[in-house]
Amino acid sequence: MTVRAKPAAGLAIATIVKNNGHHRDIDEEGESRLEPNVGLEFDSAEDAQEFYNLYATKIGFRIRIGQLYRSRIDGSVVSRRFVCSKEGFQTTSRTGCPAFIRVQRLDSGKWVLANIKKEHNHELEQPGEICPSRIQRKIVTPTPTPTPKSKSASVLSTRTGLRSLDEDGPSGILDFKRLKREKINGETRSEPYKGLEFVSAGEAYEFYHTHAANTGFKVRIGQLFRSKNDGSITSRRFVCSKEGHQHPSRVGCGAFMRIQRQESGRWLVDRFQNEHNHELGAPIDASERVSSKGFKEELSHGLENMDLVESNGGFSLVTRSRESKIGSDWYNELFDYFQARQAEDMGFFYAVEMHKGRAMSVLWADSRSRFSCTQFGDAIVFDSTYRRGSYSVPLASFIGVNHHRQPVLLGCALIAEESEESFTWLFQAWLRAMSGRRPISIVADQDWVIQHSIAQVFPGTHHRFSAWQVVAKEQENIGALLSMNPEFKYEYETCIFQSQTANEFEAAWNVLINKYNMRENTWLKDMYRMRKSWVPLYIKGTFFAGIPTDGSLKSYFGTILTSQAPLSEFLIRYEKALEQRREEERKEDFNSFNLQAVLHTKDPIEDQCRRLYTITTFKVFQKELLECYSYVGIKINVEGAISRYLVQKCGNGDERNTVAFNASNINISCSCKMFEFEGVLCRHALKVFQIMNIRELPSRYILHRWTKDAKYGILRDVDSGGASQDHKALMSWSLREEAKNYIEAGTASLERYKLAFEIMQEGRRNLCWQN
């Protein structure tokens, strides 16, 4: 193996020679040296690996084969990474060590060392304690049958690039075909890792099956994802057989391997979770091969409905029937509760999903929730917190934001299974309960099944991903880089949260992925494609009732309804939480009608908004009004009736926003999009209103949903030319809620009843006289 240093680098020419099978390195003075430097050239990638292996032995660490990159033109390997064996976090022995070298293929066919990081984040071993790992070259001639002694040695096959499970043992790559032929006897082992590549999905499945058998667990075929363009399968998950809670034997195990289809047609492991939450069994004899013919994508039932089951000592793929996570004893208890509530509340709604005569998911909403949706159903959160951990109850809820910026319940559900069928049924049932009123926006998880269900049931609704899930996926996919590279973290967060325009975001994103060589990162490619569902720049132009982009609403049920609430307590705690939240809303209603916030200026706009807004919303507006006094507005151009202003904070040129003002109709818009996102005018727009001496806000800039009267007269601004079907539903719920309060007041005593009855008769006569 020959290593050449480029003369321009000013390095001594180092040559590593083989002498009777032993490696040694010499410099021009004959002294031993072995130090990687950018610019070193190698005859092959294997030479670079051998060189780095010798260097690692000398320093006191071991190496593994890391990521490789292929040419988009011919699919050939153009770059390779060799990393410290403690790189990543896939096992407890790894510390996310950043040390690596990356070699790149030149046009001449040589390989040059392009990047290097020498710092380790763990203690190194004594050089004398490490034996050089045996690096075997690819053999093109037929390989003789291995002897028993060589059975545990690493055998090279560049076809799949599988590494040895034992990180602390010899580096090398396992021959996948040989692995399948051999019985698992504790000697030959192979563990998945991110970056592992396969020719086909079937090969990946067989590999994971072999790994599972060797480790002591069984596998099932989990979720798959399809391309939105052509419907082809782009990603597959293989999971532990104890994943989920659909059966008493399942304990929600999180172990899985996910593979992603590459442009070359090969499949790459992009996610891997090795930790199980249950005891593993004894290694299983995996000599019986599981046929991969079930992986043909044209099968009508699809792999999402397949299970791996044990039969006659082997394994086979069988069709999985839909199962419910909801215990059978829950249904009787729930139905009794629903019927009791329906007897008290004529507006109480519930629906049950049926599948082959069996009850599945359940949805319910009382009349108060249905009425609240007519007022505050424009922006909702589909809260499926139960999916984050080991929850005994698969409870999901639809949450809105009321005029006091409090969470308000718009319906609850128990989800039988996390399939597209279940979520689609659930959203359709909720839409029926809410008289067909679709939200403008919805915050929900980004899972493929949820995305498709929302797109199908709520076309035109802006689906924003749950912030907790985006953060969790960030940690899973680029968490190590974010924690170890402050520069990358700063540039990444600046790109996401500080970009003001689409062009600015695009430029910053391209710089980021090119600078850090992440163009082939599958997760980042997916997130870029779905950027309109999570990047604040693309979200702020849609009304979300001010739900912050870096989080979601506080849990509606709080600590009252815990994750492990038993059936006997669930409904009691549910009712308690419901009453507590609604009492909080009643207190805020009372305060808004009976208390007044303190004015801080003599601006008539401030007094106008204090009279109209709830106290909570007024404080949000008042903060923007007070802030606008520390801003300056400069007119930058005029086009007809439209004037544009540059508004920035005094003494701070970093924050700049453009405001467009139309003098003909008093329309105003700001580049910060606060009004579009939150429904309250921003400090920049208020500054321009001050410049133009506007003394009263046009009614269109005071959303009725934020006012004290939000619960009443919800159709006050609607033209009276005729009642559409949508308006009839709103009017029905508004009158029903008012009638409910009227009846409660009228039945307090016999005298009140007589008065209420007379008033009602008089009102009915007046209505009948109307044309």
Side-chain angles (χ1 to χ4, degrees):
M1 175 182 69
T2 304
V3 182
R4 302 178 184 83
K6 291 184 178 179
L11 299 173
I13 298 175
T15 305
I16 298 180
V17 298
K18 289 185 177 181
N19 183 18
N20 297 327
H22 299 285
H23 294 85
R24 61 187 180 90
D25 55 306
I26 55 174
D27 61 12
E28 288 180 331
E29 287 76 27
E31 297 179 356
S32 176
R33 66 177 296 169
L34 187 69
E35 187 76 18
N37 290 285
V38 173
L40 285 178
E41 283 189 1
F42 304 90
D43 290 333
S44 66
E46 287 80 7
D47 282 349
Q49 180 187 356
E50 188 170 357
F51 169 78
Y52 193 48
N53 187 41
L54 291 171
Y55 166 74
T57 302
K58 176 182 174 182
I59 299 300
F61 68 97
R62 297 177 175 83
I63 71 167
R64 289 190 294 108
I65 299 172
Q67 206 167 14
L68 62 81
Y69 303 89
R70 294 182 178 274
S71 166
R72 291 189 174 184
I73 300 173
D74 57 9
S76 60
V77 177
V78 295
S79 177
R80 284 189 180 278
R81 281 169 57 99
F82 304 109
V83 301
C84 174
S85 64
K86 292 185 179 293
E87 181 265 352
F89 297 94
Q90 293 92 331
T91 65
T92 55
S93 65
R94 299 189 189 175
T95 61
C97 181
F100 77 96
I101 66 169
R102 184 176 71 87
V103 291
Q104 192 161 331
R105 193 184 68 197
L106 303 174
D107 293 338
S108 63
K110 303 288 186 182
W111 291 74
V112 63
L113 201 157
N115 300 92
I116 181 173
K117 189 170 184 65
K118 298 181 181 180
E119 292 76 21
H120 298 259
N121 65 357
H122 56 90
E123 291 186 3
L124 300 177
E125 300 181 42
Q126 293 297 321
E129 296 178 359
I130 300 178
C131 296
S133 301
R134 184 181 176 189
I135 307 296
Q136 297 188 354
R137 304 306 181 99
K138 185 176 180 180
I139 302 173
V140 295
T141 55
T143 306
T145 303
T147 62
K149 183 178 181 179
S150 65
K151 194 171 186 178
S152 61
S154 300
V155 181
L156 270 201
S157 170
T158 58
R159 178 170 166 264
T160 57
L162 306 183
R163 63 170 177 78
S164 169
L165 171 69
D166 187 359
E167 295 178 352
D168 300 329
S171 299
I173 302 175
L174 294 176
D175 186 325
F176 184 59
K177 287 186 175 180
R178 177 187 170 198
L179 180 65
K180 290 188 291 184
R181 288 196 305 266
E182 293 177 344
K183 291 185 177 181
I184 295 179
N185 54 13
E187 295 183 24
T188 303
R189 303 184 66 186
S190 184
E191 179 180 308
Y193 65 97
K194 287 178 70 172
L196 185 57
E197 196 173 72
F198 301 93
V199 173
S200 67
E203 182 180 88
Y205 170 68
E206 291 188 62
F207 167 73
Y208 194 55
H209 161 56
T210 304
H211 161 71
N214 188 35
T215 306
F217 68 97
K218 300 182 179 73
V219 301
R220 287 190 297 110
I221 297 168
Q223 211 170 19
L224 61 80
F225 300 88
R226 295 183 181 273
S227 167
K228 290 185 178 180
N229 298 325
D230 57 10
S232 61
I233 296 175
T234 58
S235 178
R236 292 190 184 279
R237 279 169 59 101
F238 307 120
V239 302
C240 173
S241 63
K242 292 185 179 293
E243 180 264 354
H245 298 276
Q246 297 93 328
H247 189 272
S249 65
R250 299 185 187 176
V251 294
C253 181
F256 74 95
M257 181 180 84
R258 196 183 85 161
I259 56 174
Q260 191 91 10
R261 193 184 69 201
Q262 306 300 295
E263 293 180 1
S264 63
R266 300 171 74 89
W267 294 77
L268 190 78
V269 175
D270 70 326
R271 294 181 192 173
F272 173 60
Q273 177 64 258
N274 200 31
E275 287 74 28
H276 297 259
N277 65 352
H278 56 91
E279 291 186 3
L280 299 177
I284 304 166
D285 185 355
S287 57
E288 292 290 330
R289 284 189 57 185
V290 178
S291 172
S292 63
K293 66 180 181 180
F295 285 84
K296 293 181 179 178
E297 297 176 2
E298 60 267 28
L299 288 180
S300 60
H301 51 258
L303 284 176
E304 67 273 27
N305 293 321
M306 300 296 287
D307 266 337
L308 180 70
V309 298
E310 188 174 10
S311 60
N312 299 324
F315 293 88
S316 60
L317 293 170
V318 299
T319 303
R320 180 172 72 228
S321 60
R322 295 183 63 193
E323 298 175 346
S324 175
K325 293 180 182 179
I326 307 169
S328 58
D329 52 342
W330 278 77
Y331 291 104
N332 292 334
E333 191 83 13
L334 285 170
F335 295 161
D336 287 344
Y337 169 75
F338 293 160
Q339 290 166 9
R341 292 290 289 114
Q342 212 165 42
E344 302 169 0
D345 179 1
M346 294 182 64
F348 189 90
F349 175 97
Y350 75 93
V352 184
E353 179 192 16
M354 300 299 295
H355 178 70
K356 295 183 178 179
R358 292 185 296 113
M360 299 290 285
S361 297
V362 182
L363 170 82
W364 70 94
D366 63 11
S367 59
R368 182 68 179 275
S369 292
R370 299 174 76 185
F371 175 59
S372 294
C373 190
T374 65
Q375 309 157 311
F376 312 118
D378 42 12
I380 66 174
V381 175
F382 177 61
D383 184 1
S384 53
T385 306
Y386 78 92
R387 308 177 78 222
R388 302 191 204 180
S390 180
Y391 281 63
S392 61
V393 184
L395 175 70
S397 52
F398 295 87
I399 308 295
V401 180
N402 70 10
H403 50 330
H404 305 298
R405 294 175 178 259
Q406 298 169 316
V408 57
L409 188 65
L410 306 179
C412 278
L414 294 185
I415 300 178
E417 61 166 9
E418 295 180 351
S419 65
E420 186 175 354
E421 295 93 334
S422 279
F423 285 117
T424 299
W425 175 88
L426 177 62
F427 294 144
Q428 288 173 338
W430 182 83
L431 196 61
R432 288 196 304 273
M434 303 305 157
S435 304
R437 182 177 173 84
R438 292 185 175 88
I440 296 171
S441 58
I442 181 171
V443 181
D445 292 349
Q446 70 181 79
D447 300 60
W448 180 86
V449 291
I450 294 180
Q451 287 190 57
H452 275 241
S453 297
I454 289 175
Q456 179 180 339
V457 181
F458 303 127
T461 295
H462 192 148
H463 175 194
R464 175 177 132 198
F465 296 158
S466 302
W468 75 267
Q469 197 177 43
V470 173
V471 172
K473 297 296 183 184
E474 274 181 2
Q475 290 302 311
E476 182 180 334
N477 290 277
I478 58 173
L481 190 57
L482 286 169
S483 62
M484 293 186 299
N485 192 328
E487 185 179 358
F488 171 79
K489 178 180 172 67
Y490 172 78
E491 293 180 21
Y492 175 77
E493 292 180 350
T494 300
C495 171
I496 301 303
F497 298 108
Q498 302 300 323
S499 296
Q500 297 296 314
T501 65
N503 289 337
E504 191 176 325
F505 172 79
E506 299 280 346
W509 184 272
N510 287 327
V511 168
L512 189 75
I513 62 174
N514 288 326
K515 179 178 179 180
Y516 294 96
N517 200 22
M518 304 183 75
R519 187 164 290 280
E520 298 305 317
N521 185 296
T522 305
W523 180 77
L524 285 176
K525 286 197 291 187
D526 287 343
M527 294 306 285
Y528 174 77
R529 177 175 52 82
M530 298 182 291
R531 59 193 179 279
K532 293 183 180 179
S533 293
W534 67 284
V535 177
L537 165 67
Y538 298 98
I539 292 170
K540 65 183 183 180
T542 302
F543 184 75
F544 275 95
I547 301 170
T549 55
D550 58 349
S552 58
L553 286 178
K554 186 171 65 175
S555 173
Y556 182 85
F557 295 103
T559 57
I560 297 177
L561 193 59
T562 61
S563 61
Q564 299 299 325
L567 173 60
S568 57
E569 297 181 21
F570 172 77
L571 293 173
I572 297 174
R573 294 190 182 190
Y574 167 80
E575 287 283 349
K576 182 180 178 181
L578 205 61
E579 180 55 35
Q580 179 175 304
R581 285 294 190 185
R582 288 175 177 174
E583 178 59 28
E584 291 170 359
E585 184 177 339
R586 284 191 288 269
K587 287 180 180 178
E588 286 299 320
D589 283 340
F590 177 85
N591 291 340
S592 289
F593 280 108
N594 295 280
L595 302 177
Q596 278 196 333
V598 177
L599 296 177
H600 292 297
T601 73
K602 294 183 179 181
D603 193 328
I605 286 178
E606 184 182 18
D607 186 51
Q608 174 195 8
C609 290
R610 181 177 70 168
R611 283 185 281 106
L612 298 174
Y613 283 141
T614 62
I615 290 178
T616 306
T617 303
F618 173 70
K619 288 180 179 178
V620 175
F621 169 82
Q622 190 179 51
K623 179 182 177 182
E624 295 300 312
L625 181 65
L626 294 176
E627 285 288 343
C628 85
Y629 285 94
S630 61
Y631 280 70
V632 61
I634 305 169
K635 186 183 290 187
I636 53 178
N637 71 351
V638 178
E639 296 178 8
I642 299 176
S643 301
R644 285 185 171 81
Y645 292 81
L646 179 64
V647 181
Q648 64 185 58
K649 194 166 187 176
C650 299
N652 183 5
D654 294 335
E655 183 188 349
R656 297 185 176 191
N657 287 276
T658 305
V659 178
F661 175 75
N662 191 327
S664 64
N665 54 14
I666 320 298
N667 274 348
I668 197 165
S669 64
C670 179
S671 59
C672 80
K673 302 289 186 184
M674 178 176 172
F675 181 76
E676 289 80 358
F677 178 76
E678 196 163 345
V680 176
L681 280 175
C682 63
R683 60 194 68 178
H684 318 108
L686 291 172
K687 169 54 67 176
V688 173
F689 273 154
Q690 284 183 352
I691 294 172
M692 301 305 297
N693 199 29
I694 303 297
R695 313 291 288 175
E696 182 176 321
L697 294 185
S699 59
R700 61 181 169 276
Y701 293 118
I702 301 179
L703 297 190
H704 185 63
R705 74 167 334 277
W706 294 128
T707 66
K708 300 174 185 179
D709 296 326
K711 291 184 177 180
Y712 311 102
I714 56 177
L715 295 172
R716 65 171 190 174
D717 298 325
V718 176
D719 294 335
S720 57
S724 69
Q725 199 63 33
D726 288 341
H727 293 160
K728 282 185 178 180
L730 297 179
M731 291 187 291
S732 174
W733 281 112
S734 181
L735 291 173
R736 186 178 299 180
E737 185 69 11
E738 189 62 27
K740 179 182 175 183
N741 297 330
Y742 185 83
I743 292 169
E744 288 178 358
T747 54
S749 66
L750 184 59
E751 289 74 17
R752 285 193 176 190
Y753 163 76
K754 291 178 180 179
L755 176 61
F757 193 82
E758 290 176 5
I759 294 173
M760 186 180 293
Q761 282 186 317
E762 181 64 23
R764 182 172 56 83
R765 283 194 293 268
N766 290 335
L767 283 176
C768 292
W769 291 337
Q770 298 274 337
N771 289 330

